[in-house]
Amino acid sequence: MIHIKTQADHDKYTKMARTDRDGFWREASASFFWRKAPKLISQGKLGEKVTWFEDSLLNLSENCLDRHMASKANQTALIWEPNSPDAPSRSFTYRELKREVEVFANTLKKLGVKKGDRVVIYMAMIPELMFSVLACARIGAVHCVVFAGFSAKSLSARIEDSGAEFIIISSGAARGAKCIPLKGIVDDALMMSPRVKTCLAIKHTDEALSMKTPRDVWYHEASIGVSDSCEAVSVSGEDPLFILYTSGSTGKPKGLLHTTAGYMVYAEYTFRNVFQVQQGDLFWCTADLGWITGHTYLTYGPLLSGATTLMFEGIPTWPDASRFWQVIDRHQVTHFYTAPTAIRTLEAFGLTPFTGVALDSLKVLGSVGEPINEEAWQWYFENVGRSRVPIVDTWWQTETGGIMISTLAGVTPALPTFATLPLPGVEPVLLNSDGKEVATQAGEGALCIKEPWPGMARTVFGDWQRYQDTYLKAYPGYYFTGDGAKRDDHGNYRITGRIDDIIIVSGHNIGTAEVEDALDLHPSVVESAVVGYSHPVKGQGIHGFLICSDPSIDRDKLKSELLTLVTRELGPIAKPERFQVVAGLPKTRSGKIMRRILRKIAEAETKDFGDVSTLLNPEIVDQILKAEIF
Ligand code: PRX
C-alpha cells in the first residue's frame, strides 16, 4: 500500500515511480489478499498489449469484503439514501454487505451464470445494484452496467456487443418526481436481443409488470432458500472484470474492458491518496453506477479501502435544491464528490437552499467529469466548503480506470480550474501538432500518457484494432486521451476540453456520430452535423446543423420530432439543444466536415474562421450564419 501524506512523500514517490516503476506498483499492491501473489508487475509498452500482475490469482469481491472481516465486520460499508427524503435509508455493515453479495452470487450461479459470462446490469441506484456488481466479481462473471437512462435501442446494442445472455434489472427507477418504467424499456430491448435467456428483476417501484416466463425471474423468488455463503472464485490478474461502454467517433458502442488486478490496485491507490479518507469518515460520490465514477469511487475504491460509502438514488433538485445539503447533514458526510454540471445547476438556485444546513461535517470536496469553470469552483468552495474545505479537481476517463491528475486533499495545493499535478506513477505529456513533446515546463497541446499504468483499459471488448486506432495510433508510443490541456510553469495541468468528436453534456460523453446517425433517420433530414457549444449549466450543449429535403419545413414540428427520435434512439441525455436548417455543410475537398467552423458558428462567432482555403464550398459559411436558430 502506498500512502502519500505530505508533499515530500509526493516528491519521493514521483521519483521512485520514474526510476523503479515496477517497484513502485509492487509497493502499491502489497496490502491486498492475493491467492497467488504476483511476481510479474508490468509487461508491454504503450502501442502493444500491456499486462499487469498477470501471473497473480485473486478475487476482487474478496478484497472488498472478506479481507475486512477481521477488523471491520461491524463497520458500516454502505449507506443508501432513497429518492424520497421521507422514505427510510438503509445501511449495511461489511458483514451484512458480504452476506447480501454472497446470496446474490449464489442466486446468479443457480440461474446458470458462470465465470467469464457477461452480465448486463440495467438498474436504479439501489443497494441491489452494488450487490449485483460485487456478486459478478465474486463468481468471475464480467459485469457490464448500462446507465438506466439509455434507450431500449442503446441497451440492446450493448447487449449484442457484449454477447450477454443474462441481464439484471430493477422493475423501475425513481428519479425525482418521475418514475421510469425500466422493465418496459428492457422488454423492448429484449425484443431486439432475443439472445438474452434470463432477465433477473429486482422489485423496486410499484407499477404493474408483465413477466415473461421462463425468461423473466424475480430476485425475491429466485433467492429464496439460497445459501448465504459463496466461496469467491480465483481469477487471474488479467481476467476481465467489467466492460463499460462509452461514446466513440462512430455510432457503434465502444466497450472498454477492464481487467482484475491492475484495476483493483489502481482504484485503491487513487482513492486512498486523492481523498485521504480516515477511519470514521463517510464518502459520498454522487455518480450513478452506470458510469466509471460510480464503479471506481462509489463502489470499488471505498470498499477496497475499508471506507464507508454513501449511495444516493435521487437527483439534486428534488424535492428542492437543498437535497444534497440535507443529505450531507443528515448522514454527516465528510467527503463529497460530484460533477461541475451539478454544481452549476445548484448555483442557479442561489443561496436560499443553504438555509438551516450546517455542512460542518465536510472535510473534502471533489469535482469530476468536465472542466470546472472558475465561477463554479469559487461558488463550490465558498458555499459548500465554507471557504475551509480543500477541493480536488480530478481528471480521468472511463479508459483510465481511476484518477490520473488531481490535487491530493490536504497534501498538495489546489488551484482553481486546474486538475494540478499527475499522481505519482502517472506520466502525462503534451504533444504539439508535429507529435513532439512540448519540452518547456509551461505549454499547451494534446494530452497524452507516456507510460502504462495498472488501471488502463486493456482493449475495446472484441475489437483490439479499434482500441489501437482510437488511443494508440494518433501519437505512436503514447496513449492519446482525446483531451487538450495547458501546463503552467509549476507543472500544473489544466484540461481545456475534448479535441476529438466527443461532446460532454452534463458530464455525459456523447459522440457526434451517434447523434447524427439518429437525426439522419428523420425522413426530411438529408444530412446533419452536430457540434458542442458552451452552455451555462450543462457545460456543453449540442447544436445541430441540418440539410433538409424541404428547406421551408415547419421548424417547431421538426424540432419536436427530432428530439423524440434522439430520445428513442439514444436516450434523453443526447438531445440537441438547438438546430439550424442549412443549405450545405462546410466540407473539405476530401469530403470531411470542417467542424472547427461549425463550432465557431455555434459559439455565435461571426468572423475569424481561420484558413478556409481548403473548403470546397467557402460561400456556405455566410449562408449558415444567416440561418435561423430554433
Ligand atoms: O474530457 C475529459 C472529461 O471527461 C472525459 C472522460 O469522460 P468519461 O470517460 O465519461 O469519464 C468521466 C469521469 C472520469 C475526459 O476525457 N473530464 C473528466 N474529468 C475532468 C474532465 N475534464 C476536465 N477536468 C476534469 N476534472
Side-chain angles (χ1 to χ4, degrees), residues 109 271 560:
K109 277 196 344 204
F271 177 79
S560 121

Side-chain angles (χ1 to χ4, degrees), residues 246 291-293 337 367-372 393-399 405 419 481-483 495-498 504 507-509:
T246 184
W291 309 116
I292 189 71
T293 313
Y337 188 34
S367 173
V368 60
E370 53 185 309
I372 178 163
D393 177 2
T394 63
W395 175 84
W396 59 295
Q397 310 180 294
T398 305
E399 294 84 345
I405 305 181
T481 65
D483 284 332
I495 313 303
T496 47
R498 301 292 309 193
I504 303 192
H508 305 315
N509 289 10

